[in-house]
Amino acid sequence: MQKRFWIIGLSAIFGALVAFAPLSATAEEKVIKLRYSNFFPPVHPNAKLSEAWCKEVEKRTNGRVKISYFPGNTLTPPTQTYDSVVKGIADIGQTLMAYSAGRFPLTGVFGLPLGFTSGYQATMALNAFYDKFQPKEYADTQVMYFHGHGPGLISTRKEVSSINDVKGMRIKVNAENADIIKALGGVPVTLVIPETYDALNKGVIDGILLPVEALKGWKFAEVVKTTIVNHSISYTAPMYVVMNKKKWDMISKEDQAAITAINKEWREKQAKLWSQLDTEAETFAVEKGVKILKASKEEVARVAEIMKGVLPKYVSDMKAKGLPGEEVLKFCQEYIKNNP
């Protein structure tokens, strides 16, 4: 009798193991593991905010989506991040649109001198643009969200007294905003931001066209003397967070909805952070001895007239590609006007 009960007990245990084994395997298979490549260095506040996004995704999906985070170009070079996401080398990527020159023509409107006054405004405008136009240039990835830095301004290696002094200077630009410097008589030099500090320090370039934030975030306040505040030239550099489409499709509808909700929250967080970083960086730059040269109303108006000549080329280029450039430009101008 005892032997019989022992055999029955073993059978029951074996049956339970067989019954639950598939469930365990299924549960394990549902965990989606992703790799996130970011060009911001680990200590940069934008890198930390992106890391917080990863943790929030894991939290709200109850661990069903786990993300390994690689800041500072440790997984992919910044110029290859988008392609790496498309090919699945990285599952999620964040980098500058400018590092894939020509690939995102319609979004290039944000590199024009539209007159942005804050990073909050620029970031919200970018996401509003994407929501409205859904440009096909991002169709081979799943867009998470966009963000853009505060007003792009000129900072120079030597002290200057007017924006007129930019004439003849070699200024670091992104491809989409090179015409701003050309219109001022400067010489645009396309350069990725990780190489810019050394170029300034060695005198390879004479200045930068970047937001005030970069004076602290990338330590450029150590190698520039003047920042010219004239919002007539203000552009923003679009940055995106995108996911590999196949990996996105592997995520359940429930978890996709959770991530989409997080993305909307991160638009706002990122927008506020950019404005905060500009404020902090200006204080930092002044402490480092950088002169903040604020243009008069007359100077702003004069330069605004010069910048009007930069806009038509975008419209004509988009028309040649069969894209609604004129409509997009008008949308952005009205957004900035209505959301100061």
Side-chain angles (χ1 to χ4, degrees):
M1 181 69 70
Q2 188 175 9
K3 183 177 180 182
R4 181 182 174 190
F5 280 124
W6 182 75
I7 292 171
I8 293 172
L10 279 179
S11 299
I13 292 169
F14 179 75
L17 288 173
V18 170
F20 285 108
L23 293 176
S24 300
T26 303
E28 188 176 346
E29 287 169 5
K30 286 183 179 179
V31 176
I32 308 297
K33 295 182 179 181
L34 306 173
R35 296 182 299 169
Y36 185 155
S37 176
N38 194 347
F39 78 107
F40 280 106
V43 297
H44 196 289
N46 282 323
K48 293 178 180 178
L49 185 60
S50 299
E51 185 174 18
W53 179 88
C54 297
K55 292 177 180 177
E56 193 67 17
V57 167
E58 184 169 340
K59 176 184 175 183
R60 292 204 211 172
T61 61
N62 293 319
R64 290 184 294 273
V65 179
K66 293 182 180 291
I67 303 171
S68 297
Y69 182 57
F70 298 87
N73 305 320
T74 52
L75 181 59
T76 62
T79 54
Q80 297 175 24
T81 297
Y82 190 85
D83 281 334
S84 294
V85 171
V86 173
K87 295 173 183 176
I89 297 168
D91 303 306
I92 307 167
Q94 176 175 176
T95 192
L96 281 161
M97 181 203 76
Y99 291 163
S100 298
R103 187 163 194 162
F104 309 105
L106 209 57
T107 316
V109 68
F110 287 90
L112 298 176
L114 299 178
F116 291 107
T117 56
S118 72
Y120 186 93
Q121 181 191 60
T123 294
M124 300 311 283
L126 261 165
N127 286 286
F129 150 79
Y130 181 78
D131 289 345
K132 179 175 176 60
F133 294 99
Q134 296 287 308
K136 294 180 180 179
E137 53 208 47
Y138 299 97
D140 46 6
T141 61
Q142 181 68 35
V143 171
M144 300 289 100
Y145 62 92
F146 292 85
H147 60 103
H149 61 56
L153 303 172
I154 297 171
S155 295
T156 56
R157 190 169 178 265
K158 67 179 184 180
E159 191 169 327
V160 298
S161 58
S162 166
I163 200 167
N164 294 334
D165 296 334
V166 172
K167 188 174 181 179
M169 285 189 175
R170 296 159 298 175
I171 307 294
K172 174 260 186 290
V173 298
N174 293 331
E176 75 274 11
N177 54 45
D179 286 344
I180 295 173
I181 297 302
K182 286 180 182 178
L184 294 171
V187 180
V189 179
T190 305
L191 200 62
V192 295
I193 199 165
E195 297 174 5
T196 302
Y197 184 98
D198 283 343
L200 269 172
N201 196 34
K202 295 173 182 177
V204 175
I205 56 175
D206 304 305
I208 52 178
L209 180 59
L210 286 169
V212 173
E213 175 277 330
L215 300 183
K216 182 179 181 182
W218 294 88
K219 300 183 179 181
F220 296 141
E222 298 174 355
V223 285
V224 301
K225 295 294 184 184
T226 307
T227 293
I228 305 168
V229 180
N230 187 323
H231 289 147
S232 292
I233 69 167
S234 296
Y235 74 99
T236 191
M239 283 158 265
Y240 51 76
V241 182
V242 294
M243 186 183 295
N244 177 273
K245 268 190 168 299
K246 289 181 180 179
K247 286 296 176 72
W248 175 255
D249 291 340
M250 290 171 62
I251 298 171
S252 70
K253 296 296 182 184
E254 177 189 358
D255 289 339
Q256 285 181 354
I259 294 170
T260 299
I262 295 168
N263 292 339
K264 289 180 179 179
E265 293 171 22
W266 249 249
R267 294 179 178 187
E268 182 81 12
K269 287 178 182 288
Q270 188 68 74
K272 288 179 177 177
L273 178 59
W274 275 118
S275 290
Q276 175 191 329
L277 292 177
D278 268 358
T279 301
E280 292 175 358
E282 184 171 336
T283 300
F284 175 81
V286 170
E287 290 173 354
K288 289 287 186 180
V290 177
K291 180 174 76 171
I292 307 298
L293 180 62
K294 297 190 178 182
S296 65
K297 289 183 179 179
E298 293 75 18
E299 184 77 348
V300 170
R302 183 182 71 82
V303 174
E305 285 300 312
I306 296 172
M307 291 299 113
K308 285 181 182 178
V310 175
L311 307 180
K313 185 176 184 297
Y314 168 81
V315 175
S316 61
D317 285 350
M318 294 306 102
K319 187 175 182 180
K321 296 176 185 291
L323 297 172
E326 188 171 3
E327 185 183 352
V328 166
L329 177 59
K330 185 178 179 181
F331 171 83
C332 291
Q333 290 172 324
E334 289 182 352
Y335 187 94
I336 291 169
K337 181 181 178 181
N338 296 329
N339 298 273

